Amino acid sequence: MIDKIDIKNFKSIAQASMTLGRVNLFIGANGSGKSNILEAVGMAAAIRNKEVALDSLVQRGVRIARPELMTNSFFGQSSSKLIRISFYEGETMASYDIERLKSSDIYAPWKVSEMSFHQEEENLKNLQEMIFRYAIYSPDIDALRGLTSGATLYPLGLHGEGLDVLLGQLPKEELGIIKDTVKRFVSWVDDMTFDFEGMYKFQGYKLGRSKSDLYFRDSFMQKKNNLFSAENANEGVLVLLFYLALLVSKSTPKFFAIDNIDTALNPRLCRYLMKVIGKLAAQYDKQLLITTHNPAILDGITLNGDGTHLFIVERSDEGDTRINELKIKPATERRMKLSEMWMNGLIGGIPEEF
C-alpha cells in the first residue's frame, strides 16, 4: 500500500504532500483542485518507455490541455516545465520528473527526464505495478447501461464500459458478495443474471440498443414478468455495481481513484456505501483516492478508525491548491456529524464567496 505521495508543479498544485491510508477522501469547493490531485497520480501512471503520450493520459482518465496549462502558471511567478511526482511505500521510493517538450503542441508527448528509486528490486516492482495500473474512474449512466462503447481500459472501462462482462466472469463467491450487498441496499433487486447467449434479447426483453447482457429481477413484480435489462435499470443500482466490481475483482487495479463518488446516489446510500468500501478495500487489498461533494459521504467514515483519511482541499490567496488532512473532529459545543461540520464551515472545504 502506498504510504505517501508528493506532487510538485502540476496544474494548480505548486507543491503538496499527502500521507495516505487505505481509503482517502478529498473534499473541497468546486475548482479547488481535487481532480487535479487524482490526475497528478494519473500523469505518473501514464509513463511508458520514459514518455507520457496523449493516449496514455486519456486511458488513465486525465483531462488533456495544452502542455503549458498542465504546469503552474500563477500570476507574478516564473513557470517551470518540470512536474515531479513521488511515491513512497515503507522504505521504497519511486520519483518521476516529467518535462514538457513543446509548450503549445497539445499532441506532443511528455518526456521523463529523470527517475529516482530506492529499495530492493522486488519491492520497487510491486510499487511501480500499483502506480502504472492506476486509473481515475467516473461512472457514466449510458456506459453502464451498455448504450455507449469504446472503452480503452480493460476489464472495466473508466466510465463503466464492460461492467456486465466483468460481473459475469467473477468467481461465485465474489459475485455473491456483490449480489448480497446490492440486495441489502436496493430493495427491489431480487437477483441479477446474464444473457451472454442473447436468448432474452430475442424474446423482446430489450430493444437491441444496449450492448449490455446484464439483467435484473424485480422482487415486487410477478415472477413470470419481473425480468428487465440494464438498459431499463435505475441509475443508482448500476453505479453501486460499478464500485463493487472495482473493489472485489482481482482483475481491476489495486490502486485507483473515483472522481465524484456520489454521482446518482441517495445521501443515505452514500453513507453506507463508504462503510462497505472501507471493509471491502481491506478485504481485497485495494487502495482508493475519492472525491465528493456530498456531505453524507463523510458520515460513513471514521477518522483514524478504519484506515480512512480525510483531506480538505482549498486554494490559497495566490491560487495554488493546498491539501490538509483532518485527523480529529474540531471541538464544538454539541456533538455534530462530520457532514454538519462541513456544511457549517467548521472544517473548511466550502465556497466562501457567498
Side-chain angles (χ1 to χ4, degrees), residues 13 21 25 29 31 60 64 73 78 87-88 91 100 115 121 123 132 147 158 171 193 198 221 273 298-299 302 330 354:
I13 306 168
L25 186 62
R60 299 298 128 190
I64 306 301
S73 56
S78 59
F87 302 86
Y88 303 83
E91 297 297 321
R100 67 175 191 249
M115 295 188 287
E121 184 176 345
N123 290 346
F132 294 150
L147 298 174
L158 296 178
T193 187
M221 298 171 64
L273 172 63
L298 272 62
D299 294 333
T302 303
F354 50 89

Side-chain angles (χ1 to χ4, degrees), residues 141-330:
I141 304 306
D142 281 349
L144 291 167
R145 285 179 172 153
L147 298 174
T148 62
S149 57
T152 57
L153 198 66
Y154 294 92
L156 187 59
L158 296 178
H159 306 299
E161 301 91 341
L163 176 64
D164 58 328
V165 178
L166 178 59
L167 289 172
Q169 298 299 315
L170 285 177
K172 185 177 180 179
E173 181 180 350
E174 281 78 4
L175 183 60
I177 290 173
I178 290 178
K179 284 185 176 182
D180 291 344
T181 303
V182 171
K183 288 180 182 180
R184 189 164 74 248
F185 289 156
V186 185
S187 61
W188 63 261
V189 176
D190 179 60
D191 197 9
M192 298 179 341
T193 187
F194 307 94
D195 183 32
F196 296 123
E197 301 297 326
M199 179 179 64
Y200 294 147
K201 175 182 177 179
F202 293 114
Q203 291 178 7
Y205 283 99
K206 68 178 181 182
L207 297 175
R209 294 179 59 221
S210 171
K211 296 181 180 180
S212 175
D213 290 310
L214 174 63
Y215 286 77
F216 297 90
R217 292 193 178 276
D218 192 319
S219 60
F220 297 111
M221 298 171 64
Q222 298 178 16
K223 292 187 180 299
K224 64 180 181 180
N225 189 38
N226 70 346
L227 180 71
F228 59 93
S229 69
E231 186 175 0
N232 296 302
N234 73 287
E235 299 172 348
V237 71
L238 295 172
V239 171
L240 183 59
L241 282 171
F242 179 43
Y243 297 151
L244 294 174
L246 278 170
L247 286 160
V248 168
S249 173
K250 295 178 181 178
S251 301
T252 56
K254 282 191 172 184
F255 176 48
F256 61 91
I258 298 174
D259 204 9
N260 295 317
I261 194 171
D262 46 273
T263 299
L265 297 181
N266 177 277
R268 179 167 286 189
L269 179 54
C270 285
R271 182 175 68 185
Y272 286 100
L273 172 63
M274 288 307 299
K275 295 180 182 292
V276 169
I277 284 177
K279 293 178 181 178
L280 292 181
Q283 182 177 348
Y284 290 96
D285 192 24
K286 304 280 185 170
Q287 187 175 23
L288 292 76
L289 308 179
I290 298 171
T291 69
T292 186
H293 286 284
N294 193 326
I297 289 286
L298 272 62
D299 294 333
I301 68 173
T302 303
L303 292 180
N304 294 322
D306 58 358
T308 299
H309 289 209
L310 175 62
F311 297 92
I312 314 301
V313 183
E314 298 176 307
R315 299 286 284 268
S316 71
D317 293 339
E318 291 75 31
D320 63 308
T321 292
R322 304 289 175 87
I323 308 168
N324 297 303
E325 183 180 355
L326 182 70
K327 295 185 178 181
I328 58 173
K329 284 186 179 182

Side-chain angles (χ1 to χ4, degrees), residues 33-48:
K34 300 183 300 298
S35 296
N36 290 348
I37 298 167
L38 310 188
E39 291 182 351
V41 181
M43 195 80 176
I47 294 173
R48 299 292 183 272

Side-chain angles (χ1 to χ4, degrees), residues 48-116:
R48 299 292 183 272
N49 299 320
K50 294 190 176 182
E51 280 191 354
V52 180
L54 188 67
D55 56 351
S56 296
L57 290 172
V58 172
Q59 289 171 5
R60 299 298 128 190
V62 179
R63 297 167 296 179
I64 306 301
R66 283 167 60 101
E68 58 192 0
L69 296 177
M70 299 284 279
T71 55
N72 297 165
S73 56
F74 299 117
F75 182 77
Q77 299 181 26
S78 59
S79 179
S80 172
K81 295 182 178 181
L82 191 70
I83 297 170
R84 176 173 292 167
I85 317 291
S86 303
F87 302 86
Y88 303 83
E89 183 181 16
E91 297 297 321
T92 306
M93 185 271 283
S95 183
Y96 306 93
D97 287 357
I98 306 168
E99 187 173 1
R100 67 175 191 249
L101 299 180
K102 297 180 181 179
S103 297
S104 58
D105 185 359
I106 191 173
Y107 301 110
W110 292 70
K111 193 74 174 178
V112 181
S113 59
E114 185 174 348
M115 295 188 287
S116 304

